[in-house]
Amino acid sequence: MIPILSIPPYREFSSMTPPIAAELLDILVCPLTRSPLVQHGDWLVAQRPEGHGLRYPIRDGIPILLIDDATLPDGVETLDDFRTRFADAIPD
């Protein structure tokens, strides 16, 4: 019998990327804001600043948590711009 991949109902996936294990998601954080990450398809999205979190790609099932590889939120042109606009979300 072939096991069937079970996807929790509270997560939405728009791609063929399998879900990251909950145990791993519980310990992963955004390397810049230190906020929790949530998987959305091929991305891990930082929860802070709310609605403007950095998006980290998942490639071949591996989260790439490099700040320079993150996708910036809409309306933010550069990483320096992000750091300035959301300085209150970045711990010292």
Side-chain angles (χ1 to χ4, degrees):
M1 175 182 268
I2 298 173
I4 297 174
L5 179 63
S6 173
I7 299 175
Y10 55 86
R11 293 187 185 158
E12 294 179 24
F13 297 96
S14 61
S15 71
M16 297 303 294
T17 299
I20 300 295
E23 297 83 8
L24 181 56
L25 273 178
D26 287 344
I27 61 172
L28 292 179
V29 296
C30 172
L32 182 61
T33 65
R34 306 286 190 260
S35 68
L37 299 168
V38 173
Q39 185 174 356
H40 291 282
D42 293 334
W43 300 92
L44 290 180
V45 181
Q47 297 304 289
R48 284 191 308 264
E50 189 173 336
H52 300 284
L54 294 173
R55 296 167 33 107
Y56 297 93
I58 301 170
R59 296 185 189 130
D60 297 322
I62 301 169
I64 309 299
L65 298 179
L66 300 173
I67 296 170
D68 290 336
D69 284 352
T71 298
L72 299 167
D74 291 339
V76 178
E77 298 298 320
T78 67
L79 192 54
D80 286 337
D81 185 26
F82 180 90
R83 287 184 168 122
T84 300
R85 289 177 58 184
F86 302 108
D88 58 327
I90 301 171
D92 294 330

